[in-house]
Amino acid sequence: TVLLNVANGLRRQGYRVGGMLSREVRQEGTRIGFEIADFATGQRGWLAHVNQPIGPQVSKYRVNLNDLDQIGVNAIQNAVKSAEVVIVDEIGPMELFSSAFKQVIKDAVDSQKLVLGVIHHSARDPIISSIKGRTDAEIVEVTMGNRQQLHNILIQKATQFLKETRETRKG
């Protein structure tokens, strides 16, 4: 929710925002899976579902690597090419089964674009360690105490960064 609020806030200010979003899907109050969406185009697919017949298993879900690579990875690649802000929701245990996903995350953080992402608290992978170890990365933890206002703080920081980037490119 915080990332979506930041992305929408930056889009309202006129910035080109692209990338991948995921959200849980419930049926009659029970979570049945996770949907994946391209923020720029709205294209949707399944990241994972209880009835997914094949794919790596995480808890009661099987990961849909095809949709992850075709929709999620492509959304991030397109954002790196044409957006000012790249969003990734999220880098988590399900997404990390895809080598294409891990590569596009590396490409995004190396792109000099502003990348806003969510790293799942239990996810462990060298790509996450690499991101956390970057000197140009800022990691912010979402807590019950800050989650209501955090998007405003992040929009302000992102806007400042984007303005400085535009001025540097002009000069």
Side-chain angles (χ1 to χ4, degrees):
T1 302
V2 172
L3 181 63
L4 182 59
N5 288 339
V6 173
N8 285 328
L10 292 171
R11 185 184 262 177
R12 280 191 298 275
Q13 291 184 30
Y15 293 104
R16 291 183 319 277
V17 181
M20 178 191 95
L21 291 172
S22 59
R23 68 174 186 91
E24 71 175 18
V25 178
R26 293 184 172 266
Q27 188 174 55
E28 297 174 6
T30 302
R31 185 173 15 176
I32 60 167
F34 298 88
E35 184 181 63
I36 195 166
D38 182 321
F39 184 75
T41 68
Q43 182 182 14
R44 298 181 182 283
W46 286 103
L47 170 61
H49 196 280
V50 292
N51 296 327
Q52 173 73 21
I54 59 169
Q57 189 160 357
V58 176
S59 184
K60 62 183 179 180
Y61 311 98
R62 287 205 179 267
V63 179
N64 183 336
L65 291 173
N66 185 57
D67 281 3
L68 175 57
D69 290 348
Q70 293 300 312
I71 298 170
V73 170
N74 284 339
I76 298 166
Q77 283 174 334
N78 291 336
V80 169
K81 290 177 193 168
S82 62
E84 294 168 280
V85 181
V86 180
I87 60 170
V88 182
D89 176 27
E90 70 181 31
I91 303 170
M94 292 180 184
E95 293 85 354
L96 292 170
F97 280 108
S98 167
S99 57
F101 178 83
K102 291 194 271 189
Q103 181 60 52
V104 80
I105 294 303
K106 181 182 182 322
D107 295 345
V109 297
D110 288 343
S111 72
Q112 304 300 313
K113 300 275 178 104
L114 176 60
V115 178
L116 301 171
V118 175
I119 299 174
H120 191 276
H121 65 88
S122 69
R124 303 286 180 264
D125 191 90
I127 191 73
I128 294 172
S129 300
S130 170
I131 292 167
K132 289 181 175 181
R134 292 179 64 103
T135 58
D136 60 348
E138 181 177 350
I139 308 297
V140 179
E141 184 176 354
V142 179
T143 66
M144 292 301 288
N146 71 9
R147 63 187 267 178
Q148 296 299 322
Q149 290 301 315
L150 187 57
H151 68 281
N152 291 323
I153 295 166
L154 294 175
I155 290 170
Q156 184 178 26
K157 286 183 176 207
T159 302
Q160 183 63 36
F161 173 84
L162 292 164
K163 285 179 181 175
E164 290 171 5
T165 302
R166 280 182 176 172
E167 289 172 10
T168 300
R169 288 186 180 148
K170 285 180 183 177

